[in-house]
Amino acid sequence: MLNFASVITSGLMMWKTLGAITNTASPIVVVLSGSMEPAFYRGDLLFLSNPSAEEAKYGTGDIVVYNVPGAAIPIVHRVLETRETGSKNRAQREQKLLTKGDNNPVDDIDLYNGLQWLERKHVVGVVRGFLPYVGYVTIAMNDFPQLKYALLGGLGLLALIQRE
Amino acid sequence: MHSLYARVNNVSATMSSCLMALLAAIALSTFLFTADPKGDLAITNVKVTAGRDRRYRNKSQDYALVNFNVSADLTPLFNWNTKQLFLYLEAEYENAKGGKNDVVIWDRIVRRKEDAFINVVGKNKYAFKDITNTFKKVPAAHYALKYNVMPYVGALTYGEAGRTLESLEFPAAE
């Protein structure tokens, strides 16, 4: 039991440390939609980071994961336009973004739930690295809940009958 | 001790760590390929037309139309870990207050090495607008051809394959 707890907590610690280093709330995400095909398919794993606060600017061509209010799932799309507005002081200027999925014919305005532009607060992170297929396990478990219970049950049974 | 379960466990653990090491090696090998190909980018014509906003019909909106020629040999970017190339042409300008504006006006996905000889005479694919709805106060813009190399596994890398030497003015709306 103690063993189990230590596995869980060390996992959580690693996740949080990774988040602190990369400056995002979720440093690893799984692709859930096909709008970036043929680059990213459902189930691919993406590694994210954010530019540090001082030079917090995104560039065109960056692939960002964003979450607009009222949207069910985070979206992974590429930045099409960046616009700086507001203050004369460069560091205080805000950046407005427009994104588009590589596989979509039009930009994302209709996905923003009434917003005209995406802002920094909506962006979870920029995609820096890529690992195919690995995340499919989580999608499979969501699509087929029986698999999740079978897996959990199997693990529990093993834990009961195995003795070191 | 040497039960079937223990054996299966051992074999699968070894296999998965071998696979991880192999993937890491492939991902790291990308950094050994440092190709930096350059191409030619020429903006042949910039025109501004006055029109209506596509969303709010009663709002007037200027659209810039850009004609360009691109020729570049991007085959060196294809190595064993290149899944595809995302090529894009962007306009860059600073507005009166000094705010940076970068707008992608054309892009292309290149999936095969054979298709990486780029030779395009084209015009902008996406609506090119300014946030003020007009190009009257927008200063001259630079144009740049950039690319993003997307790997089978590992880090995404970016580069620039061409840039206009002089900035181009936006003419008055027609």
Side-chain angles (χ1 to χ4, degrees), chain A residues 1-18:
Chain A
M1 200 60 212
L2 210 63
N3 216 337
F4 187 66
S6 99
V7 166
I8 297 276
T9 46
S10 58
L12 194 68
M13 268 169 69
M14 272 166 69
W15 177 254
K16 287 290 173 195
T17 322
L18 207 60

Side-chain angles (χ1 to χ4, degrees), chain A residues 31-64:
Chain A
V31 178
L32 296 174
S33 84
S35 57
M36 283 297 279
E37 282 176 19
F40 304 149
Y41 288 88
R42 259 163 67 84
D44 291 346
L45 217 59
L46 304 176
F47 299 88
L48 311 184
S49 80
N50 257 325
S52 57
E54 308 93 69
E55 29 122 20
K57 301 287 184 227
Y58 300 101
T60 50
D62 281 355
I63 303 169
V64 295

Side-chain angles (χ1 to χ4, degrees), chain A residues 39-119:
Chain A
F40 304 149
Y41 288 88
R42 259 163 67 84
D44 291 346
L45 217 59
L46 304 176
F47 299 88
L48 311 184
S49 80
N50 257 325
S52 57
E54 308 93 69
E55 29 122 20
K57 301 287 184 227
Y58 300 101
T60 50
D62 281 355
I63 303 169
V64 295
V65 179
Y66 66 86
N67 223 334
V68 284
I73 52 167
I75 299 172
V76 186
H77 279 178
R78 196 185 291 273
V79 175
L80 192 70
E81 296 184 10
T82 69
R83 312 275 193 178
E84 278 179 356
T85 53
S87 158
K88 283 218 166 199
N89 181 353
R90 178 116 212 271
Q92 288 168 7
R93 246 180 247 148
E94 282 181 15
Q95 207 179 21
K96 294 178 187 297
L97 307 174
L98 179 69
T99 54
K100 177 183 162 292
D102 287 359
N103 197 24
N104 291 351
V106 293
D107 60 44
D108 286 354
I109 290 185
D110 291 325
L111 299 176
Y112 294 165
N113 285 333
L115 298 173
Q116 290 291 310
W117 300 92
L118 214 59
E119 284 165 40

Side-chain angles (χ1 to χ4, degrees), chain A residues 31 33-46 63 76 78 102 127 129-134, chain B residues 26-27 29-30 33 74-87 108-116 147-157:
Chain A
V31 178
S33 84
S35 57
M36 283 297 279
E37 282 176 19
F40 304 149
Y41 288 88
R42 259 163 67 84
D44 291 346
L45 217 59
L46 304 176
I63 303 169
V76 186
R78 196 185 291 273
D102 287 359
V127 178
F130 172 77
L131 187 64
Y133 309 124
V134 178
Chain B
I26 294 172
S29 77
T30 318
F33 302 103
L74 299 177
T75 46
L77 293 173
F78 276 83
N79 57 54
W80 66 346
N81 193 22
T82 306
K83 185 183 199 176
Q84 69 168 40
L85 217 60
F86 183 82
L87 186 67
R108 171 180 280 185
I109 295 171
V110 184
R111 301 185 66 189
R112 298 184 310 164
K113 195 171 185 172
E114 299 88 86
D115 300 333
Y147 59 82
N148 170 212
V149 183
M150 309 184 77
Y152 285 108
V153 58
L156 278 69
T157 50

Side-chain angles (χ1 to χ4, degrees), chain B residues 16-43:
Chain B
S16 57
S17 33
C18 283
L19 187 66
M20 290 297 269
L22 187 66
L23 287 176
I26 294 172
L28 288 174
S29 77
T30 318
F31 295 106
L32 299 175
F33 302 103
T34 50
D36 185 22
K38 298 287 174 202
D40 293 318
L41 166 66
I43 306 297

